[in-house]
Amino acid sequence: MYGKCGLLDDSIRVFDEIENATEFAWNSMLSVFAQHGLGKDAIQLFNRMKNEGVEPNAITFVSLLRGCSHSGLVEEGLSFFKAMEKTYGVVPREEHYSCVIDLLGRAGQLKEAENFINKMPFEPNAFGWCSFLGACKIHGDKERGKLAAEKLMQLEPENSGAPVLLSNIYAKEQQWEDVRTLRKMMQDFNIKKLPGYSWVDVGNKTHIFGVEDWSHPQMKAIYDKLDALSGQIKAAGYVPCTDSIPLDVDVSVKEKMLQHHSERLAIAFALISIPSAKPIIVKKNLRVCSDCHSAIKYISKVIGRKIIVRDNSRFHHFSNGLCSCGDFW
């Protein structure tokens, strides 16, 4: 519970208080480290688990592989995958293969990931293709991205993630005609893009924000805070990454759109609502974009507060201009 809420230290404290931890407790703690992108901590905990005589199972290796994936520990992750059946008698399942695709893709080893897919004993599931497509988007591989998008759309025709990610790849290459074609296809098949939302708990209430949201009763104060933060972080060295906006519009328009992303609205609201002694914890239903990630690092620096953001993949702990992910997520 603590881990899923972003309270990592409390999670570790509760685990350490257990005298004779069962496999469920070990696996829960491993899952927390994986979700927070702490691959090295997950490996250390796994070694402690073995020393305590607790046998790892399939769930153990999912967390280990996820932790390695979010920390760029490619060799370590591949070593665990190979040792699963050979050393521990755990037969790899679909989710383990998907984790390896994710591991290689995040590290930019797209050719290796493709070779791994071709050698798999079965076709990747939707998560595997989605991970590969996301990696192609991050690393700008249009051809492999197109293949992954086609496979994902075959498995989940209603899933908007595939055409949206492929559209972003085309937009990065400024292939606007291809972007328009994909958007028309989404309209024709009534595929709606999943809207981005962020939320933060203040007191006993959850406050939800969308992109360029004006519905909150304190919206004027929130936007005033955003404007002030924008000036502060630019003075500290922040430069907007307008590539994050896959639209053929003016750069100044893109900058304004970035400034009003949902996680920034939630953070601005938290800054004017939560006492400085309390942590700011924001949750988001989509992957945090590269520009917001950069902006939040600068915000944590200029305001001197720790900000925790959980996106659909992992937790990011921002403090003093740095993120726990090391810009690898």
Side-chain angles (χ1 to χ4, degrees), residues 130-298:
C130 192
S131 297
F132 190 51
L133 175 56
C136 291
K137 184 256 181 184
I138 292 168
H139 299 287
D141 193 322
K142 182 178 64 176
E143 294 307 317
R144 290 189 174 95
K146 189 176 180 181
L147 168 67
E150 289 172 352
K151 293 287 188 178
L152 185 55
M153 285 189 281
Q154 288 172 10
L155 287 173
E156 296 184 345
E158 75 288 348
N159 190 335
S160 65
V164 168
L165 283 172
L166 186 58
S167 175
N168 289 344
I169 293 174
Y170 288 142
K172 194 173 182 180
E173 298 288 324
Q174 296 190 343
Q175 295 178 242
W176 302 115
E177 190 58 42
D178 290 321
V179 171
R180 283 187 281 272
T181 299
L182 274 172
R183 286 182 181 156
K184 186 177 184 307
M185 181 271 289
M186 290 177 69
Q187 287 179 344
D188 292 343
F189 289 94
N190 199 29
I191 300 173
K192 299 186 184 297
K193 180 182 177 182
L194 182 67
Y197 290 104
S198 296
W199 57 97
V200 60
D201 295 325
V202 176
N204 294 319
K205 186 177 180 182
T206 299
H207 298 258
I208 304 173
F209 299 89
V211 178
E212 297 189 328
D213 192 342
W214 284 92
S215 62
H216 197 278
Q218 292 176 253
M219 219 58 221
K220 186 180 185 308
I222 292 170
Y223 273 80
D224 287 345
K225 186 65 176 178
L226 273 180
D227 289 338
L229 285 172
S230 180
Q232 286 177 278
I233 63 178
K234 283 182 178 178
Y238 161 73
V239 177
C241 177
T242 54
D243 288 345
S244 301
I245 301 292
L247 298 173
D248 188 12
V249 295
D250 189 74
V251 171
S252 62
V253 176
K254 289 186 177 184
E255 287 186 19
K256 204 68 175 175
M257 293 173 70
L258 288 169
Q259 187 180 328
H260 297 159
H261 273 189
S262 64
E263 56 266 55
R264 296 200 212 182
L265 295 173
I267 289 170
F269 172 68
L271 287 172
I272 63 177
S273 307
I274 298 177
S276 59
K278 290 188 176 182
I280 294 173
I281 304 175
V282 171
K283 283 109 175 178
K284 180 177 171 66
N285 67 329
L286 301 178
R287 185 182 190 272
V288 62
C289 77
S290 57
D291 183 77
C292 283
H293 191 270
S294 174
I296 299 168
K297 285 197 298 181
Y298 279 101

Side-chain angles (χ1 to χ4, degrees), residues 303-324:
I303 64 171
R305 291 182 67 174
K306 185 172 183 178
I307 302 171
I308 301 169
V309 177
R310 190 206 72 191
D311 65 9
N312 67 344
S313 178
R314 56 162 295 159
F315 278 93
H316 298 262
H317 295 255
F318 298 91
S319 180
N320 196 31
L322 299 172
C323 180
S324 59

Side-chain angles (χ1 to χ4, degrees), residues 39-56:
K40 291 181 179 179
D41 295 86
I43 293 172
Q44 289 176 3
L45 189 72
F46 176 71
N47 291 330
R48 281 176 56 192
M49 179 181 176
K50 288 194 300 178
N51 292 337
E52 292 289 332
V54 180
E55 287 294 318

